[in-house]
Amino acid sequence: METNEQGRSARKRQAIMEAATGVFMEKGYSGTSMDDIAKLAAVSKQTVYKHFSDKEKLFSEIVLATTDRLDGMIALVADVPSDADALDENLTRLARQFFAALTQPQVLQLRRLVIANADAFPALGAAWYEQGFERVLATLAATFQRLAEDGLLRIDEPLLAAHHFSGLLMWIPVNQAMFHGGPQHTQADLDHYATAGVRTFLAAYR
């Protein structure tokens, strides 16, 4: 059973991580101090250092913690039915779920933050990609392989097909967000991208 002290420690750690996420996204890595984080978390700087040995360690933990949020996306990708009559509908639904997960403002902000610090922390950037979006792509590739084996798709390179599918969907809204500093699309835009992307994908792979 968790003791009161363990519970307080866990709550403080969570408060520090939430505060750090907000400050890093607002000020960037170099513009953030441990004092900023301690103030926002309402703890002492000593408490911050008790949980995280330095700013780099804290930054790494909050970045990698976000990859767990893709577990639901991975489950959805793996669950596309082998139904020839509803293939367009099922892939379009999946495309809309991609948008819902990957165009959230906080996800886009974190993407910018990781990219901005990729030269300083290349291993962290690689780990974030591998534990996050690369897992989604690998699962999508396995799903496309299954659909091909069931006769619904014609695919020689499932992983390449997974990249094509995600690229057709995400190229426009993600690039706009990266360069314009925020979401530039409406829900109607995303619905259009989903429908057009799936139609183009199936023109090549069905």
Side-chain angles (χ1 to χ4, degrees):
M1 180 177 293
E2 183 181 68
T3 67
N4 288 338
E5 182 60 33
Q6 288 173 328
R8 282 194 297 270
S9 180
R11 288 192 293 273
K12 286 182 179 179
R13 181 182 180 87
Q14 183 62 31
I16 292 166
M17 291 189 68
E18 290 175 1
T21 300
V23 179
F24 279 131
M25 287 186 177
E26 179 185 352
K27 297 185 175 182
Y29 179 82
S30 60
T32 295
S33 71
M34 296 296 252
D35 284 318
D36 295 330
I37 294 166
K39 182 177 180 180
L40 187 59
V43 299
S44 68
K45 188 162 70 170
Q46 181 180 5
T47 298
V48 176
Y49 280 112
K50 178 181 177 181
H51 288 276
F52 303 95
S53 57
D54 53 40
K55 187 170 75 166
E56 182 178 344
K57 174 69 172 175
L58 176 52
F59 182 61
S60 296
E61 289 217 19
I62 66 165
V63 167
L64 294 180
T66 63
T67 61
D68 292 341
R69 299 176 190 172
L70 289 177
D71 289 349
M73 183 77 249
I74 289 170
L76 291 169
V77 168
D79 197 35
V80 177
S82 293
D83 183 346
D85 293 335
L87 183 60
D88 297 64
E89 178 184 344
N90 289 333
L91 289 182
T92 301
R93 183 183 303 111
L94 178 63
R96 291 188 175 120
Q97 291 163 338
F98 256 72
F99 287 133
L102 300 177
T103 62
Q104 296 176 28
Q106 190 177 52
V107 173
L108 294 171
Q109 286 179 306
L110 183 65
R111 183 186 179 97
R112 291 188 204 101
L113 186 61
V114 172
I115 291 172
N117 292 279
D119 287 340
F121 307 114
L124 176 61
W128 186 72
Y129 181 79
E130 290 165 5
Q131 295 177 31
F133 197 53
E134 194 166 72
R135 286 196 298 144
V136 176
L137 287 170
T139 305
L140 185 58
T143 295
F144 285 161
Q145 177 67 45
R146 171 173 56 79
L147 294 175
E149 291 170 355
D150 291 340
L152 278 69
L153 296 174
R154 296 180 295 105
I155 291 179
D156 295 324
E157 298 181 67
L159 185 57
L160 182 60
H163 278 279
H164 286 164
F165 182 82
S166 60
L168 286 166
L169 298 178
M170 306 306 297
W171 177 264
I172 296 173
V174 170
N175 274 332
Q176 286 179 341
M178 290 299 101
F179 289 105
H180 289 279
Q184 303 293 311
H185 43 262
T186 65
Q187 187 57 52
D189 292 330
L190 295 181
D191 288 342
H192 176 61
Y193 298 150
T195 301
V198 169
R199 183 173 63 244
T200 304
F201 177 80
L202 289 178
Y205 284 107
R206 182 151 60 182

